[in-house]
Amino acid sequence: MSDKKASRPCHHCKSKSASIPTDTSKIHYEKFWLYRHCSSVQQRDRQAQKAGQLFSGLLAMNVVFLGSAFISSMIFNKVAITLADVWILLSILKVLCLFWIIYYLLGTSRQPHAVLYRDSHAGAIWIRGSVLLFGSCSILLNVFQIGYSTILIHCKSRVEIVFPSIGILFICTQAYFLWHHSKDCIQVQHNFTRCGLMLTIATNLLLWLLAVTNDTLHIEIESQLREVEERFAGKAPSSHPHWCNTTLCTCPNMTICKVFQKGYILLYPFNTEYCLVCCSVLYVMWKNVGRRISHHQIPHTKPKFKLQGVVFGPLLGTSAVIIGACVFMMYQIQATSLVPSHQVFVIYYSYYIVLLPLMSVGAVIGTIVHALEKKELDTLKNPTRSLDVVLLMGAALGQIGMSYFSIVALVATDPRDLLNSLALSYSVLIIFQNITQNVFVIDGLHRRRITPPGKEEDTKEQNGEVYSQRRVSVLELGQEIRKASLSYIHTYSNLSWKRRVLREISFFLVLCNIILWVMPTFGAHPIFENAMERSFYGYSTWFVIVNFGLPLGVFYRMHSVGGLLEIYVTA
């Protein structure tokens, strides 16, 4: 009996053991079914996202092609399609964009669970500050255009007053929208939001294209007026198109009219930059629609800009800015005169020939230091960084393309002349500097500083010392200044030589790119005044090349400043 009783539990155990594989297989089957179901949901979500991006991209492509056809027809056939027709089309697009932006601000963004995530890399403060700065200049430009058209209402249409009025409303609304919502990762109404963003991008691209063509016409008019003055002075005028007649609608002899006219021409580059910056921010928002950000992609501590650990970079950069400002003022005074001096072109090109090699050497050294550092590459998905790389590469093509056209023209004509040899050296150095700086910036953007575990406590202790030093009375101000100086020297000495070199180089390049952005933005265009390329390629062809390349070059300098500042902060 005992053996039988003892055998029963064994039989029961065998039954249990026999049933265990069945349960296990069933559980594995359920897990496999759940995994397959979840993966199919994720796949459908990705397919819906790609379909929405494709449809909105096709919408933007058709709008851009339609607007480009209007603008091209206006340029080549001024009778069938006039500038007023283009303004009417752009006004309709602006109104549609305004309706969508207002709906997003009042409807979409206020829905429950609409903005669950915000991209910390998108909408940096310098980008949003650029939107406000260039937007303010564009508003002032439209005010000047309204005032100028109002004075010349006898020879201008009313569309020239209505179009800038709508433009002011569009700029204000778009600037507010980008300032407050550039980091949004919207989770509702995906397709409608993508279409609205792409429509706004297409509108800004068309506004940029129109601004480039109008800037071309203004520069042509200024150059032709100077040639007319030279002809009256008894000098041989340079080649110019015979179809342009600038006496149809001239500004009367009034001070306010002259102010409107000069301000209108001066602020045009800011309008082109505003359109480009808005397109870049809107594109990042378009990529972030429906994006879910995990917790490990959110930085716990955001690095701040501090002017510590740098000495030679600010000194050299400030010297370059001061000398560049002096050269710029000399050039502006001489270039706006009746007969531009030959010497001012020599000084202008000489400044670039000295500065560009220094910037190239600094970028090469910085790239070598990046290679020597033991930093891991940041391989996480980051639409903002991807766009930064694309914009740097694409915007650099503007200056590189103009430089190659200049090299061909100068080598084919007379490269032994002093001014031509300087212009040739300038073009070659521009190409080399753009390439080396792009390599340095792109390599730096893909590297992130990782704090070693043993140094976190040291950092906290240093921060605690700084905070305790700040709590001083007014009577100890002199002693506090001395402590701050000693703390600065201590910080500079404690930095590793690699980090110190990177911070020095990046700060130097920031200041150099700022002065190289200011000079062409505010009217220093020796490539317009030097008639060598214009006579080689022809008047219309050369101005089309330059006016497509010059705004990209200005945008490249401004965008490089943002990338270099990020390298400086994260070094």
Side-chain angles (χ1 to χ4, degrees), residues 63-83 85-87 89-90 205-206 208-214 217 544 548:
V63 173
V64 169
F65 281 157
L66 176 62
S68 301
F70 263 76
I71 295 174
S72 302
S73 302
M74 177 200 69
I75 295 173
F76 296 110
N77 192 349
K78 298 180 180 298
V79 178
I81 302 295
T82 62
L83 183 60
D85 298 328
V86 177
W87 279 342
L89 174 64
L90 291 178
L205 283 176
L206 293 176
W208 171 77
L209 182 60
L210 181 63
V212 169
T213 54
N214 277 351
L217 296 176
V544 168
F548 271 95

Short mmCIF file of all heavy atoms in Angstrom, two decimals, residues 63-83 85-87 89-90 205-206 208-214 217 544 548:
data_model
loop_
_atom_site.label_atom_id
_atom_site.label_comp_id
_atom_site.label_asym_id
_atom_site.label_seq_id
_atom_site.Cartn_x
_atom_site.Cartn_y
_atom_site.Cartn_z
N VAL A 63 3.11 73.35 -55.20
CA VAL A 63 3.00 74.78 -54.92
C VAL A 63 4.28 75.51 -55.35
O VAL A 63 4.22 76.59 -55.96
CB VAL A 63 2.71 75.02 -53.43
CG1 VAL A 63 2.77 76.51 -53.10
CG2 VAL A 63 1.34 74.47 -53.07
N VAL A 64 5.44 74.92 -55.07
CA VAL A 64 6.71 75.54 -55.45
C VAL A 64 6.84 75.61 -56.97
O VAL A 64 7.28 76.63 -57.53
CB VAL A 64 7.88 74.77 -54.82
CG1 VAL A 64 9.21 75.24 -55.41
CG2 VAL A 64 7.90 74.97 -53.32
N PHE A 65 6.46 74.54 -57.66
CA PHE A 65 6.54 74.56 -59.12
C PHE A 65 5.60 75.59 -59.72
O PHE A 65 5.95 76.29 -60.68
CB PHE A 65 6.22 73.16 -59.69
CG PHE A 65 7.37 72.20 -59.58
CD1 PHE A 65 7.16 70.84 -59.58
CD2 PHE A 65 8.67 72.67 -59.49
CE1 PHE A 65 8.22 69.95 -59.47
CE2 PHE A 65 9.74 71.79 -59.39
CZ PHE A 65 9.53 70.44 -59.38
N LEU A 66 4.41 75.70 -59.17
CA LEU A 66 3.46 76.70 -59.66
C LEU A 66 4.00 78.12 -59.44
O LEU A 66 3.99 78.94 -60.37
CB LEU A 66 2.12 76.54 -58.96
CG LEU A 66 1.04 77.57 -59.30
CD1 LEU A 66 0.68 77.52 -60.77
CD2 LEU A 66 -0.19 77.38 -58.43
N GLY A 67 4.48 78.39 -58.25
CA GLY A 67 5.03 79.72 -57.99
C GLY A 67 6.27 80.00 -58.79
O GLY A 67 6.46 81.13 -59.28
N SER A 68 7.13 79.00 -58.97
CA SER A 68 8.34 79.19 -59.78
C SER A 68 7.99 79.48 -61.23
O SER A 68 8.65 80.28 -61.90
CB SER A 68 9.23 77.95 -59.68
OG SER A 68 9.61 77.69 -58.35
N ALA A 69 6.94 78.82 -61.72
CA ALA A 69 6.50 79.09 -63.09
C ALA A 69 6.01 80.52 -63.23
O ALA A 69 6.30 81.21 -64.23
CB ALA A 69 5.40 78.11 -63.49
N PHE A 70 5.28 81.02 -62.22
CA PHE A 70 4.82 82.41 -62.25
C PHE A 70 6.01 83.38 -62.25
O PHE A 70 6.06 84.33 -63.03
CB PHE A 70 3.91 82.68 -61.05
CG PHE A 70 2.45 82.56 -61.36
CD1 PHE A 70 1.86 81.32 -61.51
CD2 PHE A 70 1.66 83.68 -61.51
CE1 PHE A 70 0.52 81.20 -61.78
CE2 PHE A 70 0.31 83.58 -61.79
CZ PHE A 70 -0.27 82.32 -61.93
N ILE A 71 6.96 83.14 -61.33
CA ILE A 71 8.10 84.05 -61.21
C ILE A 71 8.97 84.01 -62.46
O ILE A 71 9.44 85.04 -62.95
CB ILE A 71 8.92 83.71 -59.95
CG1 ILE A 71 8.07 83.95 -58.70
CG2 ILE A 71 10.19 84.54 -59.88
CD1 ILE A 71 8.72 83.51 -57.41
N SER A 72 9.19 82.80 -63.01
CA SER A 72 9.97 82.70 -64.24
C SER A 72 9.27 83.37 -65.41
O SER A 72 9.92 84.05 -66.23
CB SER A 72 10.23 81.22 -64.56
OG SER A 72 10.91 80.58 -63.51
N SER A 73 7.97 83.21 -65.50
CA SER A 73 7.22 83.89 -66.56
C SER A 73 7.29 85.41 -66.41
O SER A 73 7.37 86.13 -67.40
CB SER A 73 5.77 83.42 -66.55
OG SER A 73 5.67 82.03 -66.71
N MET A 74 7.29 85.89 -65.16
CA MET A 74 7.41 87.32 -64.93
C MET A 74 8.77 87.83 -65.40
O MET A 74 8.88 88.93 -65.95
CB MET A 74 7.23 87.62 -63.45
CG MET A 74 7.42 89.08 -63.08
SD MET A 74 7.76 89.31 -61.32
CE MET A 74 9.41 88.61 -61.21
N ILE A 75 9.82 87.02 -65.21
CA ILE A 75 11.16 87.46 -65.60
C ILE A 75 11.32 87.46 -67.11
O ILE A 75 11.85 88.41 -67.69
CB ILE A 75 12.22 86.55 -64.95
CG1 ILE A 75 12.17 86.71 -63.42
CG2 ILE A 75 13.62 86.87 -65.46
CD1 ILE A 75 13.05 85.74 -62.68
N PHE A 76 10.84 86.40 -67.78
CA PHE A 76 11.08 86.25 -69.21
C PHE A 76 9.97 86.84 -70.08
O PHE A 76 10.20 87.11 -71.25
CB PHE A 76 11.26 84.76 -69.55
CG PHE A 76 12.45 84.14 -68.89
CD1 PHE A 76 12.30 83.22 -67.87
CD2 PHE A 76 13.74 84.49 -69.28
CE1 PHE A 76 13.38 82.65 -67.26
CE2 PHE A 76 14.84 83.92 -68.66
CZ PHE A 76 14.68 83.01 -67.65
N ASN A 77 8.78 87.02 -69.54
CA ASN A 77 7.68 87.58 -70.32
C ASN A 77 6.90 88.54 -69.42
O ASN A 77 5.94 88.15 -68.75
CB ASN A 77 6.77 86.46 -70.83
CG ASN A 77 5.78 86.97 -71.87
OD1 ASN A 77 5.63 88.18 -72.07
ND2 ASN A 77 5.10 86.04 -72.53
N LYS A 78 7.34 89.79 -69.38
CA LYS A 78 6.75 90.77 -68.47
C LYS A 78 5.38 91.24 -68.91
O LYS A 78 4.70 91.93 -68.16
CB LYS A 78 7.69 91.97 -68.34
CG LYS A 78 9.04 91.62 -67.75
CD LYS A 78 9.91 92.85 -67.66
CE LYS A 78 11.27 92.52 -67.07
NZ LYS A 78 11.19 91.99 -65.71
N VAL A 79 4.96 90.90 -70.13
CA VAL A 79 3.66 91.35 -70.61
C VAL A 79 2.55 90.41 -70.16
O VAL A 79 1.51 90.84 -69.65
CB VAL A 79 3.68 91.47 -72.15
CG1 VAL A 79 2.31 91.90 -72.67
CG2 VAL A 79 4.76 92.45 -72.59
N ALA A 80 2.77 89.11 -70.31
CA ALA A 80 1.73 88.14 -69.96
C ALA A 80 1.58 88.01 -68.44
O ALA A 80 0.47 88.04 -67.90
CB ALA A 80 2.06 86.78 -70.57
N ILE A 81 2.69 87.85 -67.75
CA ILE A 81 2.68 87.70 -66.29
C ILE A 81 3.45 88.88 -65.70
O ILE A 81 4.64 89.06 -65.97
CB ILE A 81 3.31 86.38 -65.84
CG1 ILE A 81 2.59 85.19 -66.47
CG2 ILE A 81 3.32 86.26 -64.33
CD1 ILE A 81 1.16 85.04 -66.01
N THR A 82 2.78 89.68 -64.90
CA THR A 82 3.41 90.84 -64.29
C THR A 82 3.76 90.54 -62.83
O THR A 82 3.37 89.52 -62.27
CB THR A 82 2.48 92.06 -64.36
OG1 THR A 82 1.28 91.78 -63.62
CG2 THR A 82 2.13 92.39 -65.80
N LEU A 83 4.49 91.48 -62.23
CA LEU A 83 4.83 91.34 -60.82
C LEU A 83 3.59 91.36 -59.94
O LEU A 83 3.53 90.69 -58.90
CB LEU A 83 5.79 92.46 -60.41
CG LEU A 83 6.31 92.44 -58.98
CD1 LEU A 83 7.07 91.16 -58.68
CD2 LEU A 83 7.19 93.65 -58.71
N ASP A 85 0.72 90.01 -60.67
CA ASP A 85 0.14 88.66 -60.69
C ASP A 85 0.86 87.73 -59.70
O ASP A 85 0.23 86.93 -59.00
CB ASP A 85 0.22 88.07 -62.10
CG ASP A 85 -0.57 88.90 -63.11
OD1 ASP A 85 -1.60 89.48 -62.70
OD2 ASP A 85 -0.16 88.97 -64.28
N VAL A 86 2.18 87.85 -59.64
CA VAL A 86 2.95 87.04 -58.68
C VAL A 86 2.58 87.44 -57.26
O VAL A 86 2.43 86.57 -56.37
CB VAL A 86 4.46 87.22 -58.93
CG1 VAL A 86 5.27 86.44 -57.90
CG2 VAL A 86 4.82 86.77 -60.34
N TRP A 87 2.42 88.71 -57.00
CA TRP A 87 2.05 89.17 -55.66
C TRP A 87 0.66 88.67 -55.25
O TRP A 87 0.43 88.34 -54.09
CB TRP A 87 2.09 90.70 -55.61
CG TRP A 87 3.47 91.24 -55.42
CD1 TRP A 87 4.56 90.55 -54.97
CD2 TRP A 87 3.90 92.57 -55.68
NE1 TRP A 87 5.65 91.37 -54.92
CE2 TRP A 87 5.29 92.62 -55.35
CE3 TRP A 87 3.29 93.72 -56.15
CZ2 TRP A 87 6.04 93.78 -55.49
CZ3 TRP A 87 4.04 94.87 -56.28
CH2 TRP A 87 5.40 94.91 -55.95
N LEU A 89 -0.74 85.84 -56.27
CA LEU A 89 -0.59 84.42 -55.94
C LEU A 89 0.02 84.24 -54.55
O LEU A 89 -0.46 83.44 -53.74
CB LEU A 89 0.28 83.74 -57.00
CG LEU A 89 0.65 82.27 -56.70
CD1 LEU A 89 -0.59 81.39 -56.68
CD2 LEU A 89 1.66 81.77 -57.72
N LEU A 90 1.09 84.99 -54.26
CA LEU A 90 1.74 84.87 -52.96
C LEU A 90 0.84 85.37 -51.83
O LEU A 90 0.90 84.86 -50.72
CB LEU A 90 3.06 85.64 -52.98
CG LEU A 90 4.16 85.05 -53.87
CD1 LEU A 90 5.40 85.92 -53.84
CD2 LEU A 90 4.50 83.63 -53.43
N LEU A 205 9.71 79.61 -49.41
CA LEU A 205 10.65 79.40 -50.51
C LEU A 205 10.33 80.31 -51.70
O LEU A 205 11.23 80.87 -52.32
CB LEU A 205 10.62 77.94 -50.94
CG LEU A 205 11.35 76.93 -50.04
CD1 LEU A 205 11.13 75.52 -50.55
CD2 LEU A 205 12.83 77.25 -49.98
N LEU A 206 9.05 80.46 -52.00
CA LEU A 206 8.67 81.34 -53.11
C LEU A 206 8.96 82.80 -52.78
O LEU A 206 9.37 83.58 -53.65
CB LEU A 206 7.19 81.14 -53.44
CG LEU A 206 6.83 79.77 -54.03
CD1 LEU A 206 5.33 79.66 -54.23
CD2 LEU A 206 7.56 79.55 -55.35
N TRP A 208 11.39 83.77 -50.87
CA TRP A 208 12.84 83.89 -51.03
C TRP A 208 13.22 84.02 -52.49
O TRP A 208 14.07 84.86 -52.85
CB TRP A 208 13.51 82.66 -50.41
CG TRP A 208 14.98 82.59 -50.72
CD1 TRP A 208 15.98 83.31 -50.14
CD2 TRP A 208 15.61 81.75 -51.69
NE1 TRP A 208 17.19 82.96 -50.68
CE2 TRP A 208 16.99 82.00 -51.63
CE3 TRP A 208 15.13 80.79 -52.59
CZ2 TRP A 208 17.90 81.34 -52.46
CZ3 TRP A 208 16.04 80.13 -53.40
CH2 TRP A 208 17.41 80.42 -53.33
N LEU A 209 12.61 83.21 -53.35
CA LEU A 209 12.91 83.28 -54.78
C LEU A 209 12.54 84.64 -55.37
O LEU A 209 13.29 85.22 -56.16
CB LEU A 209 12.17 82.16 -55.51
CG LEU A 209 12.41 82.03 -57.02
CD1 LEU A 209 13.87 81.77 -57.30
CD2 LEU A 209 11.55 80.91 -57.60
N LEU A 210 11.39 85.17 -54.96
CA LEU A 210 10.99 86.49 -55.43
C LEU A 210 11.92 87.57 -54.90
O LEU A 210 12.26 88.51 -55.62
CB LEU A 210 9.55 86.78 -55.01
CG LEU A 210 8.98 88.12 -55.45
CD1 LEU A 210 8.92 88.22 -56.97
CD2 LEU A 210 7.61 88.36 -54.85
N ALA A 211 12.34 87.45 -53.64
CA ALA A 211 13.26 88.44 -53.08
C ALA A 211 14.59 88.43 -53.80
O ALA A 211 15.20 89.48 -54.01
CB ALA A 211 13.45 88.17 -51.58
N VAL A 212 15.06 87.24 -54.18
CA VAL A 212 16.32 87.15 -54.91
C VAL A 212 16.21 87.82 -56.26
O VAL A 212 17.10 88.57 -56.68
CB VAL A 212 16.74 85.67 -55.06
CG1 VAL A 212 17.90 85.53 -56.04
CG2 VAL A 212 17.15 85.11 -53.71
N THR A 213 15.12 87.59 -56.97
CA THR A 213 14.97 88.22 -58.29
C THR A 213 14.79 89.72 -58.17
O THR A 213 15.35 90.49 -58.97
CB THR A 213 13.75 87.61 -59.01
OG1 THR A 213 12.59 87.74 -58.17
CG2 THR A 213 13.99 86.15 -59.32
N ASN A 214 14.06 90.19 -57.17
CA ASN A 214 13.92 91.63 -57.00
C ASN A 214 15.22 92.28 -56.57
O ASN A 214 15.52 93.41 -56.95
CB ASN A 214 12.83 91.93 -55.95
CG ASN A 214 11.45 91.89 -56.57
OD1 ASN A 214 11.30 91.80 -57.78
ND2 ASN A 214 10.43 91.94 -55.74
N LEU A 217 17.14 92.90 -59.65
CA LEU A 217 16.69 94.07 -60.40
C LEU A 217 17.19 95.36 -59.76
O LEU A 217 17.59 96.30 -60.45
CB LEU A 217 15.16 94.07 -60.49
CG LEU A 217 14.55 92.90 -61.27
CD1 LEU A 217 13.05 92.96 -61.21
CD2 LEU A 217 15.02 92.93 -62.72
N VAL A 544 22.41 86.44 -62.22
CA VAL A 544 21.62 85.30 -61.76
C VAL A 544 22.49 84.38 -60.90
O VAL A 544 22.06 83.91 -59.82
CB VAL A 544 21.04 84.54 -62.96
CG1 VAL A 544 20.47 83.19 -62.52
CG2 VAL A 544 19.96 85.36 -63.64
N PHE A 548 21.85 84.03 -56.67
CA PHE A 548 21.50 82.75 -56.07
C PHE A 548 22.58 82.28 -55.10
O PHE A 548 22.29 81.62 -54.11
CB PHE A 548 21.28 81.68 -57.16
CG PHE A 548 19.87 81.62 -57.64
CD1 PHE A 548 19.49 82.31 -58.78
CD2 PHE A 548 18.92 80.88 -56.98
CE1 PHE A 548 18.19 82.26 -59.24
CE2 PHE A 548 17.61 80.83 -57.42
CZ PHE A 548 17.24 81.52 -58.56
#
